[in-house]
């Protein structure tokens, strides 16, 4: 397996794929002319590490997209981020919880992308969660000394890495639905999908269900592109029934992954992650394992 350095992005999300990046990179199919399309950008950790020459990163969260577009435009730089977090972190160290909620209210009013990264790095467990009115509602992480010099340098370096990638690659960041994004693809594209894990993520503001899982499959089949989908295969208690129900035609690659819930070692739960692809690698060639027109869309409805 590839063991190259994995770059962590500046925006944290739940379920970030940092530990799975080597496995994903080992199994993606790219050429110099391939357009990378990522309909569920999230943290962006996969695409940022694959670092394709041409890419479309999309998400329905406008604040993630705005943050990276501001870096692309140069209105947010690593220097600006450092200054902002030093100033805001200094206030947080004095005012503690009251200041966190002051910034949260300010963000929900004005949507400053710098406030967004401040909240993302000082809220509980690095979560990104919104209520039905699309207001950020994650509680405080109760770490008034969160923005130490070393921590700010770490975040600054993460932003600087994105700045460097944007100098040499043609990347677009779009706020739109996964359907709109997948429809940009053709046979020269590679689509990587990391949707909310069906049957597991129940607190998304845009919650995921069986109907959306089927729509995603239909859109991918219609795209005529090679694709890879991240999902969960099974844990100690149950398995993902939708792999056989919806994604039955895919090739499956698995890897054990541990999730931490709480501080105790007993809460370290293993789960088998799955990468589902519509191709297999044979030698130096990649071959579609099912022609898109050979799979009836109606097979997915019953």
């Amino acid at each position: 397996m590839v063991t190259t350095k994995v770059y962590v992005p500046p925006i944290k999300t739940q379920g970030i794929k940092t530990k799975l990046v080597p496995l994903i990179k080992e199994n993606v199919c790219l050429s110099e002319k391939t357009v990378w399309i990522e309909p569920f950008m999230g943290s962006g950790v996969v695409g940022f590490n694959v670092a394709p020459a041409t890419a479309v990163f999309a998400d329905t969260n406008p604040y993630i997209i705005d943050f990276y577009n501001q870096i692309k435009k140069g209105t947010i730089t690593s220097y600006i981020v450092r200054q902002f977090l030093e100033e805001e972190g200094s206030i947080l160290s004095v005012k503690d919880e009251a200041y966190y909620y002051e910034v949260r209210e300010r963000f929900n009013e004005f949507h400053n992308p710098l406030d967004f990264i401040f909240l993302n790095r000082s809220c509980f467990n690095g979560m990104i969660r919104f209520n039905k009115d699309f207001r950020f509602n994650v509680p405080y992480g109760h770490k008034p000394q969160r923005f130490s010099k070393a921590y700010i340098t770490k975040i600054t370096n993460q932003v600087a890495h994105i700045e460097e990638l944007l100098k040499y690659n043609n990347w677009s960041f779009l706020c739109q639905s996964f359907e709109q994004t997948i429809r940009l693809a053709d046979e020269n594209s590679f689509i990587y999908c990391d949707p909310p894990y069906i049957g597991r993520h129940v607190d998304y503001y845009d919650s995921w269900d069986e109907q959306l899982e089927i729509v995603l499959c239909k859109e991918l089949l219609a795209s005529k592109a090679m694709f890879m989908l991240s999902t969960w295969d099974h844990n100690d208690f149950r398995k993902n029934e939708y792999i056989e129900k919806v994604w039955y035609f895919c090739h499956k690659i698995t890897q054990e992954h541990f999730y931490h819930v709480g501080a105790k070692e007993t809460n370290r739960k293993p789960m088998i992650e799955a990468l589902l692809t519509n191709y297999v690698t044979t030698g130096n060639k990649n071959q579609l394992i099912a022609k898109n027109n050979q799979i009836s869309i109606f097979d997915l409805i019953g």
Side-chain angles (χ1 to χ4, degrees):
M1 181 182 295
V2 178
T3 57
T4 53
K5 177 179 174 62
V6 175
Y7 292 94
V8 177
I11 299 295
K12 295 178 64 178
T13 63
Q14 292 292 93
I16 188 171
K17 293 293 182 295
T18 307
K19 293 182 179 179
L20 296 173
V21 163
L23 180 67
I24 293 171
K25 288 181 68 175
E26 187 177 352
N27 288 281
V28 297
C29 298
L30 296 179
S31 70
E32 291 182 1
K33 296 181 180 180
T34 303
V35 178
W36 175 272
I37 295 184
E38 196 165 337
F40 304 89
M41 177 187 176
S43 72
V45 66
V46 173
F48 294 164
N49 277 276
V50 172
T54 305
V56 175
F57 294 95
D59 203 280
T60 55
N61 186 317
Y63 310 122
I64 291 176
I65 298 302
D66 184 43
F67 181 80
Y68 286 109
N69 272 325
Q70 295 301 326
I71 295 176
K72 183 177 179 179
K73 293 175 186 176
T75 50
I76 287 180
T77 66
S78 53
Y79 177 75
I80 290 171
V81 169
R82 179 183 290 279
Q83 280 194 314
F84 183 84
L85 293 182
E86 285 177 348
E87 293 171 2
E88 298 298 299
S90 178
I91 300 173
L92 181 70
S93 68
V94 175
K95 293 187 176 181
D96 197 13
E97 182 174 17
Y99 192 65
Y100 171 84
Y101 289 108
E102 181 181 327
V103 175
R104 194 178 77 171
E105 187 62 29
R106 186 174 74 197
F107 170 74
N108 283 328
E109 182 70 22
F110 300 107
H111 309 130
N112 185 328
L114 292 171
D115 282 340
F116 182 59
I117 195 169
F118 172 88
L119 293 171
N120 180 242
R121 292 306 188 109
S122 57
C123 69
F124 175 74
N125 210 24
M127 294 178 66
I128 295 180
R129 188 184 68 198
F130 297 85
N131 62 20
K132 292 181 180 179
D133 296 322
F134 212 73
R135 293 175 65 84
F136 189 82
N137 65 356
V138 183
Y140 180 43
H142 293 284
K143 294 182 179 179
Q145 305 303 321
R146 159 56 76 188
F147 294 104
S148 65
K149 183 177 180 180
Y151 194 61
I152 291 174
T153 295
K154 181 178 180 180
I155 298 170
T156 301
N157 289 341
Q158 291 165 352
V159 174
H161 180 63
I162 302 300
E163 290 178 290
E164 192 68 14
L165 289 170
L166 288 170
K167 288 180 183 178
Y168 303 105
N169 299 304
N170 178 23
W171 290 358
S172 299
F173 300 93
L174 305 176
C175 182
Q176 60 186 24
S177 70
F178 71 85
E179 296 99 326
Q180 290 173 294
T181 305
I182 292 172
R183 289 170 191 171
L184 297 174
D186 59 25
E187 62 273 11
N188 297 314
S189 306
F190 183 90
I191 306 172
Y192 170 70
C193 286
D194 183 23
Y197 281 10
I198 189 165
R200 295 189 61 82
H201 291 173
V202 295
D203 59 348
Y204 274 66
Y205 64 86
D206 53 353
S207 56
W208 196 258
D209 58 20
E210 180 177 309
Q211 181 179 356
L212 287 171
E213 190 89 353
I214 291 172
V215 170
L216 174 60
C217 187
K218 290 180 180 180
E219 293 288 345
L220 289 172
L221 288 172
S223 73
K224 302 188 184 307
M226 287 189 174
F227 67 80
M228 174 184 288
L229 175 88
S230 287
T231 189
W232 67 287
D233 188 72
H234 68 274
N235 58 24
D236 290 341
F237 308 103
R238 58 197 179 103
K239 68 177 184 178
N240 182 355
E241 63 181 295
Y242 293 96
I243 291 180
E244 294 181 1
K245 185 175 182 179
V246 175
W247 306 101
Y248 57 88
F249 59 93
C250 287
H251 175 60
K252 183 170 71 173
I253 305 160
T254 58
Q255 176 175 299
E256 188 174 58
H257 184 59
F258 282 86
Y259 284 87
H260 296 264
V261 181
K264 295 182 179 180
E265 186 70 18
T266 53
N267 289 329
R268 190 169 185 259
K269 304 296 185 183
M271 185 173 73
I272 302 300
E273 296 272 354
L275 299 179
L276 306 177
T277 67
N278 67 336
Y279 60 88
V280 290
T281 301
T282 55
N284 294 323
K285 296 182 179 180
N286 300 301
Q287 182 179 5
L288 287 173
I289 57 177
K291 294 294 185 182
N292 292 345
N293 60 7
Q294 291 178 343
I295 300 176
S296 171
I297 294 299
F298 298 102
D299 289 344
L300 302 174
I301 300 175

